[in-house]
């Protein structure tokens, strides 16, 4: 309703918030459509940072839904517009996301080159705390190489370098692979702590509502492994409530329902 009554930049802002909400509810297809509409509005207004916002969100959604090649195209567009805007933050973000997509594609050598480029780019700037983007990406590269101990160290370093929680912070995005790395080393206690930390975030999870929701699914899996049926049931129910309207192609809700029924 607010979207219908809004105009110009207000419409783009509302669409951005809807994208965030749809991510949290697992409605990736709808979020992609809202990104497309938001990008059109930002282009009509000539707002380059706004265009970067929607291109970044589009790229992440395309990565999540299995279209990494399309995600890389959006990130190339985003990088070009960030350069035109002389916006170092968006240029850095484009490089970081490019590396994340390359890791998902298992193109680890390409991801390493991107990480090295990102480290050099950050080193030339004034914001030295931005090195967390490099550590975040390097952690995923080490995870892809099955160097779990090194991955854990990089993720912990990235989290220690974070600024106070803000709507643009990536705490959840780094806690999720940290928890995964602990799971892969059978360190269930630390894995549980990492995923529980995602649930305790406030503004630090706004840009990754899908990771917030999925943390409950992962906590259910961990509780099952620990023999905690009540904890598993509680987390699966929380997850299914959050993703009750999720895209039917997503596998986690069906698996959670199956596991819940068996408890």
């Amino acid at each position: 309703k607010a979207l219908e009554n809004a105009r110009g930049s207000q419409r783009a802002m509302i669409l951005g918030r809807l994208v965030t909400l749809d991510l949290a509810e697992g409605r990736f297809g709808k979020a992609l459509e809202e990104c497309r509409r938001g990008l059109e509005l930002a282009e009509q207004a000539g707002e380059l940072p706004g265009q970067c916002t929607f291109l970044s969100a589009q790229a992440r959604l395309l990565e999540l839904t299995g279209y990494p090649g399309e995600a890389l195209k959006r990130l190339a567009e985003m990088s070009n517009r960030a350069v035109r805007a002389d916006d170092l933050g968006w240029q850095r973000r484009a490089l970081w996301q490019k590396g994340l997509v390359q890791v998902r594609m298992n193109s680890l050598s390409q991801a390493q080159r991107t990480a090295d480029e990102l480290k050099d780019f950050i080193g030339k700037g004034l914001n030295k705390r931005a090195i967390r983007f490099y550590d975040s990406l390097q952690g995923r590269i080490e995870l892809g190489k099955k160097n779990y101990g090194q991955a854990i160290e990089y993720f912990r370093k990235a989290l220690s370098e974070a600024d106070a929680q803000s709507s643009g912070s990536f705490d959840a995005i780094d806690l999720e692979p940290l928890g995964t790395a602990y799971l892969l080393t059978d360190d269930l206690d630390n894995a549980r702590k990492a995923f529980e930390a995602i649930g305790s975030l406030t503004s630090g999870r706004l840009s990754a509502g899908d990771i917030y929701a999925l943390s409950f699914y992962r906590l259910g899996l961990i509780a099952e492994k620990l023999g905690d049926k009540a904890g598993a049931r509680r987390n699966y129910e929380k997850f299914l409530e959050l993703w009750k309207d999720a895209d039917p192609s997503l596998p986690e809700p069906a698996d959670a329902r199956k596991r819940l029924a068996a408890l």
Side-chain angles (χ1 to χ4, degrees):
K1 187 175 180 180
L3 184 61
E4 292 174 1
N5 297 326
R7 295 182 180 180
S9 61
Q10 283 187 329
R11 287 177 62 83
M13 181 182 68
I14 293 169
L15 282 166
R17 291 176 178 174
L18 286 173
V19 169
T20 299
L21 179 61
D22 286 330
L23 262 174
E25 295 182 344
R27 297 184 295 188
F28 296 167
K30 188 175 180 183
L32 270 169
E33 173 58 22
E34 285 159 353
C35 279
R36 184 191 63 78
R37 293 165 63 194
L39 179 59
E40 287 179 353
L41 288 170
E43 287 175 335
Q44 290 168 12
E47 296 176 350
L48 288 171
Q51 293 170 35
C52 290
T53 298
F54 286 106
L55 284 167
S56 173
Q58 267 190 338
R60 181 160 186 265
L61 284 158
L62 287 165
E63 175 197 351
L64 289 172
T65 51
Y67 298 95
E70 290 300 314
L72 289 175
K73 290 179 184 177
R74 300 301 189 281
L75 292 171
E77 293 178 36
M78 174 183 162
S79 180
N80 288 336
R81 298 183 200 199
V83 169
R84 284 164 52 196
D86 196 25
D87 192 314
L88 298 181
W90 281 117
Q91 291 176 56
R92 181 175 62 229
R93 173 73 182 251
L95 273 174
W96 175 66
Q97 282 191 255
K98 178 183 177 182
L100 299 188
V101 175
Q102 289 167 334
V103 170
R104 186 176 286 268
M105 297 170 70
N106 202 35
S107 300
L108 299 182
S109 59
Q110 291 182 351
Q112 187 61 65
R113 287 194 290 272
T114 301
D116 294 341
E117 183 181 354
L118 176 60
K119 185 176 183 180
D120 183 61
F121 182 82
I122 293 168
K124 293 176 181 176
L126 297 176
N127 182 7
K128 302 307 180 184
R129 290 177 69 86
I131 196 65
R132 79 164 299 190
F133 287 88
Y134 166 78
D135 292 325
S136 171
L137 175 53
Q138 194 66 49
R140 284 166 173 80
I141 294 170
E142 298 300 336
L143 192 58
K145 293 179 178 178
K146 300 183 180 180
N147 297 330
Y148 303 130
Q150 291 180 49
I152 287 167
E153 288 305 310
Y154 274 114
F155 292 133
R156 291 175 65 179
K157 189 167 182 283
L159 288 161
S160 73
E161 292 156 347
D163 295 323
Q165 288 188 52
S166 69
S167 60
S169 72
F170 308 114
D171 300 344
I173 289 177
D174 286 332
L175 281 166
E176 188 272 336
L178 174 62
T180 298
Y182 280 130
L183 273 177
L184 291 169
T185 58
D186 292 321
D187 188 345
L188 297 182
D189 187 50
N190 275 319
R192 177 181 53 79
K193 289 177 182 177
F195 289 117
E196 285 178 344
I198 295 172
S200 68
L201 293 171
T202 53
S203 55
R205 61 176 164 86
L206 289 180
S207 61
D210 56 314
I211 291 176
Y212 169 73
L214 284 165
S215 70
F216 295 103
Y217 170 69
R218 309 224 190 288
L219 284 167
L221 295 176
I222 293 169
E224 272 200 84
K225 288 186 176 183
L226 292 171
D228 180 5
K229 290 186 177 182
R233 189 177 299 110
R234 181 174 63 253
N235 281 294
Y236 288 143
E237 287 174 348
K238 175 68 173 177
F239 167 65
L240 288 170
E241 174 59 27
L242 289 169
W243 272 27
K244 61 181 181 293
D245 297 319
D247 293 347
S249 60
L250 295 173
E252 291 87 356
D255 186 60
R257 284 191 289 270
K258 179 181 176 181
R259 289 176 177 277
L260 184 60
L263 289 173

